[in-house]
């Protein structure tokens, strides 16, 4: 939680005024038993109605002032808590957006969603309660004890014994329950994961008639969450009965001690009532404190989970934002046990993209996904990349825009290591059409302008025509104002793919990466798309990843991958004669006439 306090810097005044007004309310509340004592000892004893009314008016006044202070404290506390959570949620969202694919894969989408929503809400609720009660409750407890000493020292000694006993119970239960709340939140991640998988995979689940199995899996995960919550709830629930027992025993002790002193004429009946009221105030505040401790325990557990995400550093460091010290440290690490690739002798001018002895492995993987990848691409060339499933095709092209960093070697763009570019500059050069077509809720125009914010309608229509999407867009009769649902769910798979290709083309990048982006298209549309891209992207360096031989056969150069290694490099004709893997792919997909 300490690391998150910085988000209160814009709410320092509210963070001070909230507890301050609560303590003012508590101060007025501490005078109530004394006023009651005066009403009993003076007003009722002397049957003085006017005195009773006057002191009753003081009680009403104390109540009104306390109410105003309480409402003011609630306003400031709520303002600080909501502002804190807003700033935290914004920063957390931005931080997650800057994490590399490696960190997002490691943490998991379901966990990130839980921490962005449930965890932040828990912290907000805990902070709100803490600003209002964290100082008020102890102030009332110790204030009541001090006020009791002003009434009668001997009877007040009961308070000296009761308060430490209550503190041991409260903080003992807090210390035991905090780790359990972390466990509850971790299980909530699993429930979120199961929910997310069921929602995103609903069609697959129904297609395989696995609804009952998924319901059973969700129920098991949810039942485990409920068991954790019940267990920690039982422990937290011990706080109220135990504190009640201690307080009621203390009240009995106060009445017993004060009763004897009343008989002896040492104290009055009103003062005895005041002592009992002070003990009752302690009881009420400790019940509040018990609930506060539960909320703070949850909030601290959630705050630690949020801090863990915020502490996660992206493995993709932007040179434009790195200090010289970090840069030197990174360079020192790469010169240790890793192989240092000498690229000084490579002439940057002729090559648009160059892979220099690249090895790459995903985080936590024992084996490389890519090994000894070495090839160069001239400006304006079209490169086809083909290979079996899991051969490393997507991994290879993901290294160019630096979605991942190489383990060894270097990837050069225009003769510069991609790690030397700022991420903005590098990705400005590159247009990516991902394997999974992703569109965002909004209009078609808004989606097309992701690649170029100031793209004009003619530029968008030109890209749509090249991507073979113009015809179906015109058929919708709404043009570029066509509404796109979340993830493009109101479009077919082929339509989504064509729109994502058009979005990348609108950007007019220097390098276009199409990662198996035509898999949902029929062969005729695919052929038209390839022809349009070949004619419309002259001067643009294009990487086409595909498992279809027809898609890449007319590329200037074809790269054949097998188990993360290059097993072929050349034209279609050359590879068909010299590369066994490529020949097998072609013969499995093409007729003898098409092969030629």
């Amino acid at each position: 939680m300490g690391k998150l306090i910085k988000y209160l810097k814009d709410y320092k005044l509210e963070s001070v005024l909230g507890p301050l007004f609560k303590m003012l309310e508590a101060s007025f509340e501490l005078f109530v038993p004394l006023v009651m004592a005066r009403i009993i000892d003076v007003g009722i004893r002397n049957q003085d109605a006017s005195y009773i009314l006057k002191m009753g008016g003081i009680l009403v006044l104390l109540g009104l002032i306390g109410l105003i202070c309480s409402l003011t404290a609630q306003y400031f506390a709520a303002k600080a808590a909501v502002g804190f959570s807003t700033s935290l949620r914004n920063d957390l969202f931005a931080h997650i957006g800057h994490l590399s694919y490696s960190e997002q894969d490691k943490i998991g989408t379901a966990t990130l969603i839980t921490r962005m929503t449930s965890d932040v809400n828990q912290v907000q609720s805990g902070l709100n309660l803490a600003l209002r009660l964290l100082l008020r409750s102890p102030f009332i407890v110790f204030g009541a004890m001090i006020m009791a000493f002003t009434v009668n020292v001997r009877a007040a000694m009961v308070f000296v014994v009761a308060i430490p006993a209550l503190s041991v119970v409260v903080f003992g239960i807090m210390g035991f329950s905090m780790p359990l709340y972390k466990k509850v939140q971790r299980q909530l991640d699993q429930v979120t994961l199961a929910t997310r998988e069921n929602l995103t995979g609903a069609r697959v689940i129904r297609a395989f008639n696995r609804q009952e199995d998924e319901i059973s899996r969700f129920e098991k995960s949810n039942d485990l969450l409920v068991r954790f919550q019940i267990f920690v709830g039982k422990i937290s629930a011990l706080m109220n009965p135990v504190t009640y027992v201690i307080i009621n025993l203390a009240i009995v002790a106060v009445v017993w001690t004060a009763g004897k002193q009343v008989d002896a004429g040492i104290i009055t009946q009103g003062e005895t009532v005041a002592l009992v009221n002070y003990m009752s105030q302690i009881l009420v505040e400790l019940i509040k404190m018990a609930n506060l401790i539960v909320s703070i325990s949850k909030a601290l557990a959630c705050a630690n989970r949020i801090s863990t995400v915020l502490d996660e550093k992206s493995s993709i460091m932007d040179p434009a934002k790195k200090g010289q010290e970090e840069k030197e440290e990174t360079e020192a690490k790469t010169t240790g046990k890793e192989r240092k690739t000498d690229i000084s002798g490579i002439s940057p001018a002729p090559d648009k993209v160059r892979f220099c002895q690249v090895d790459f492995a995903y985080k936590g993987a024992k084996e490389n996904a890519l090994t000894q990848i070495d090839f160069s691409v001239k400006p304006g060339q079209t490169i086809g990349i083909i290979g079996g499933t899991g051969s490393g095709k997507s991994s290879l092209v993901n290294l160019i825009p630096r979605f991942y960093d190489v383990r060894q070697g270097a990837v050069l763009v225009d003769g510069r290591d991609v790690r030397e570019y700022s991420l903005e500059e590098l990705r400005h050069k590159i247009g990516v059409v991902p394997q999974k077509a992703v569109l965002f809720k909004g209009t078609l125009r808004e989606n097309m302008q992701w690649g170029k914010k100031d793209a004009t309608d003619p530029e968008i229509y030109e890209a749509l025509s090249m991507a073979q999407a113009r015809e179906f867009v015109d058929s919708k009769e709404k043009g570029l104002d066509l509404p796109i649902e979340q993830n493009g769910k109101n479009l077919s798979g082929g339509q989504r793919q064509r729109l994502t290709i058009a979005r990348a083309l609108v950007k007019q990048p220097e390098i276009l990466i199409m990662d198996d982006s035509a898999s949902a298209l029929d062969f005729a549309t695919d052929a038209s798309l390839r022809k349009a891209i070949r004619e419309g992207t002259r001067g643009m360096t294009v990487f086409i990843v595909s498992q279809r031989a027809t898609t890449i056969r007319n590329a200037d150069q074809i790269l054949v991958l097998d188990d993360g290694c290059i097993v072929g490099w050349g034209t279609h004709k050359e590879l068909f004669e010299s590369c066994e893997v490529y020949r097998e792919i072609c013969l499995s997909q093409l007729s003898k006439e098409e092969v030629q």
Side-chain angles (χ1 to χ4, degrees):
M1 186 69 180
K3 296 178 182 178
L4 305 184
I5 293 298
K6 64 181 181 180
Y7 292 101
L8 278 174
K9 65 181 180 181
D10 295 329
Y11 302 94
K12 292 177 182 176
L13 182 62
E14 289 84 354
S15 300
V16 172
L17 291 177
L20 178 62
F21 275 97
K22 266 297 178 182
M23 291 179 71
L24 281 174
E25 178 204 358
S27 299
F28 291 117
E29 190 174 324
L30 289 173
F31 287 109
V32 170
L34 295 181
V35 175
M36 286 297 300
R38 298 298 296 170
I39 290 174
I40 294 170
D41 290 341
V42 178
I44 294 176
R45 184 175 184 177
N46 298 326
Q47 298 183 351
D48 188 343
S50 62
Y51 185 82
I52 293 172
L53 289 174
K54 183 177 74 172
M55 297 306 286
I58 293 175
L59 283 178
V60 172
L61 182 62
L62 288 173
L64 287 173
I65 295 172
L67 176 63
I68 292 169
C69 290
S70 179
L71 292 174
T72 306
Q74 177 61 57
Y75 168 77
F76 286 122
K79 185 178 179 181
V82 171
F84 168 91
S85 64
T86 301
S87 299
L88 174 59
R89 195 179 285 110
N90 288 338
D91 273 12
L92 184 59
F93 182 83
H95 181 75
I96 290 170
H98 284 98
L99 291 177
S100 72
Y101 285 4
S102 297
E103 283 71 43
Q104 291 185 7
D105 293 343
K106 183 182 78 172
I107 299 171
T109 304
T111 299
L112 292 174
I113 291 172
T114 302
R115 299 187 194 194
M116 272 287 299
T117 53
S118 174
D119 286 1
V120 173
N121 288 339
Q122 287 280 13
V123 173
Q124 175 185 325
S125 177
L127 179 62
N128 193 339
L129 288 171
L131 289 175
R132 291 189 292 118
L133 299 177
L134 192 60
L135 291 181
R136 183 190 188 281
S137 293
F139 182 80
I140 286 283
V141 170
F142 290 102
M145 183 177 69
I146 293 169
M147 295 299 285
F149 272 100
T150 64
V151 175
N152 183 268
V153 175
R154 184 176 177 184
M157 293 305 294
V158 177
F159 290 73
V160 176
V161 176
I163 290 174
L166 291 166
S167 300
V168 169
V169 171
V170 169
F171 289 104
I173 292 176
M174 175 185 172
F176 191 76
S177 61
M178 267 193 63
L180 296 175
Y181 280 117
K182 292 181 182 179
K183 196 172 182 180
V184 168
Q185 290 301 117
R186 283 197 295 269
Q187 185 57 31
L188 181 60
D189 290 343
Q190 297 303 312
V191 174
T192 305
L193 175 62
T195 305
R196 183 175 182 273
E197 286 183 341
N198 273 268
L199 291 174
T200 56
R203 294 182 181 181
V204 177
I205 292 167
R206 291 172 185 173
F208 285 89
N209 199 27
R210 296 294 297 271
Q211 294 95 319
E212 294 302 321
D213 294 335
E214 288 303 304
I215 291 172
S216 176
R217 185 168 75 94
F218 178 82
E219 286 179 349
K220 287 179 182 177
S221 184
N222 194 42
D223 287 346
L224 188 58
L225 173 64
V226 171
R227 286 202 298 273
F228 286 160
Q229 288 176 322
I230 290 173
F231 180 66
V232 70
K234 286 178 178 178
I235 293 172
S236 298
L238 286 174
M239 200 174 294
N240 281 357
V242 173
T243 51
Y244 266 112
V245 168
I246 295 173
I247 285 291
N248 283 301
L249 288 174
I251 289 175
V252 170
V254 166
V255 172
W256 176 268
T257 305
K260 287 185 176 181
Q261 292 182 309
V262 169
D263 287 340
I266 300 173
I267 62 174
T268 64
Q269 292 94 331
E271 289 172 333
T272 302
V273 171
L275 289 170
V276 173
N277 281 344
Y278 280 129
M279 189 60 75
S280 298
Q281 282 184 348
I282 292 175
L283 172 61
V284 171
E285 290 307 317
L286 282 170
I287 292 171
K288 290 181 182 178
M289 192 70 172
N291 295 325
L292 173 64
I293 293 299
V294 171
S295 296
I296 288 178
S297 297
K298 291 179 181 178
L300 289 174
C302 293
N304 289 334
R305 284 160 49 83
I306 294 169
S307 295
T308 301
V309 176
L310 291 174
D311 289 341
E312 191 73 43
K313 302 298 181 184
S314 176
S315 57
I316 307 296
M317 299 296 291
D318 193 335
K321 298 178 182 179
K322 281 196 302 183
Q324 186 62 33
E325 185 177 337
E326 283 183 300
K327 189 174 181 180
E328 291 172 358
E329 183 181 345
T330 304
E331 290 172 353
K333 287 181 179 179
T334 59
T335 58
K337 297 181 180 179
E338 296 179 352
R339 181 180 68 250
K340 186 176 180 180
T341 304
D342 183 12
I343 60 173
S344 58
I346 298 172
S347 176
D351 298 333
K352 187 66 179 178
V353 177
R354 175 72 196 266
F355 278 68
C356 305
Q357 303 172 23
V358 167
D359 287 355
F360 167 71
Y362 289 100
K363 203 165 189 176
K366 295 180 180 178
E367 297 181 357
N368 285 339
L370 297 171
T371 306
Q372 290 291 285
I373 304 298
D374 196 288
F375 67 94
S376 60
V377 179
K378 301 293 186 290
Q381 279 190 320
T382 296
I383 306 300
I385 302 175
I386 196 168
T389 303
S391 58
K393 302 185 296 296
S394 296
S395 300
L396 187 145
V397 293
N398 280 336
L399 297 177
I400 301 173
R402 207 184 169 202
F403 292 151
Y404 296 94
D405 267 343
V406 300
R407 173 179 282 184
Q408 294 176 346
V411 178
L412 309 183
V413 171
D414 290 330
R416 285 176 62 191
D417 192 321
V418 293
R419 290 169 291 192
E420 295 176 2
Y421 283 96
S422 70
L423 294 177
E424 183 178 357
E425 181 186 3
L426 174 65
R427 291 170 185 172
H428 181 72
K429 292 173 171 282
I430 302 169
V432 179
V433 187
Q435 219 170 11
K436 182 181 179 182
V438 176
L439 296 171
F440 298 90
K441 185 175 177 63
T443 64
L444 176 59
R445 181 184 288 104
E446 290 169 345
N447 272 274
M448 292 300 103
Q449 288 176 335
W450 270 67
K452 186 180 179 183
K453 292 181 180 179
D454 57 350
T456 61
D457 287 1
E459 288 176 326
I460 294 173
Y461 277 120
E462 182 183 353
L464 289 171
S465 298
M466 197 183 306
Q468 308 302 300
R470 179 68 183 266
E471 184 180 349
F472 87 78
V473 169
D474 289 342
S475 69
K476 300 287 187 181
E477 298 181 352
K478 292 188 178 180
L480 297 181
D481 293 319
L482 174 70
I484 305 295
E485 296 298 324
Q486 181 185 5
N487 210 24
K489 291 187 177 180
N490 58 330
L491 302 172
S492 70
Q495 289 171 341
R496 288 199 297 268
Q497 283 194 336
R498 281 177 277 174
L499 289 182
T500 54
I501 293 170
R503 181 176 60 196
L505 291 170
V506 166
K507 187 178 180 181
Q508 298 178 342
E510 297 175 24
I511 301 169
L512 176 65
I513 297 172
M514 299 175 62
D515 186 4
D516 204 12
S517 54
S519 58
L521 304 183
D522 59 79
F523 285 98
T525 305
D526 186 20
S528 301
L529 174 65
R530 283 185 278 114
K531 182 180 178 182
I533 289 177
R534 187 166 58 251
E535 294 174 353
T537 59
R538 298 188 185 280
M540 189 184 297
T541 305
V542 182
F543 289 83
I544 302 176
V545 176
S546 181
Q547 295 189 33
R548 291 180 182 176
T550 53
T551 302
I552 53 90
R553 62 175 295 174
N554 293 320
D556 297 318
Q557 295 288 318
I558 298 171
L559 181 71
V560 185
L561 291 175
D562 186 38
D563 198 22
C565 299
I566 296 177
V567 294
W569 171 258
T571 64
H572 167 72
K573 186 176 181 180
E574 292 169 349
L575 290 172
F576 188 77
E577 294 175 356
S578 62
C579 181
E580 185 179 347
V581 173
Y582 185 73
R583 188 186 306 112
E584 288 177 358
I585 293 173
C586 289
L587 292 175
S588 66
Q589 298 179 8
L590 308 174
S591 65
K592 291 183 179 180
E593 291 77 14
E594 289 174 320
V595 167
Q596 302 304 321

